[in-house]
Amino acid sequence: MLNDILFVTFIFVTRIGLPIVATFIVGVLIERALQHGARPQAKRAWKLTERHAG
């Protein structure tokens, strides 16, 4: 009985749990990379407009 429970738990974790967690982590990393890449460009553009308006 305990072996069956452990087997089902192992299958659930490896086949369902790990892909969900891995997808979530990859999504968070991609989101951070996209947000991080956009911030310096926006600041640089704002500084350029301030200099020209100046």
Side-chain angles (χ1 to χ4, degrees):
M1 181 71 179
L2 180 61
N3 287 338
D4 293 336
I5 294 171
L6 290 176
F7 178 73
V8 170
T9 304
F10 178 77
I11 293 298
F12 176 79
V13 168
T14 57
R15 300 290 179 166
I16 297 171
L18 282 177
I20 291 173
V21 171
T23 304
F24 179 76
I25 291 172
V26 169
V28 168
L29 293 175
I30 290 172
E31 181 182 5
R32 284 185 184 177
L34 290 174
Q35 287 181 356
H36 181 71
R39 286 182 186 156
Q41 293 174 355
K43 287 181 181 179
R44 191 178 327 133
W46 182 252
K47 287 180 182 178
L48 289 173
T49 56
E50 285 180 346
R51 288 181 190 164
H52 291 292

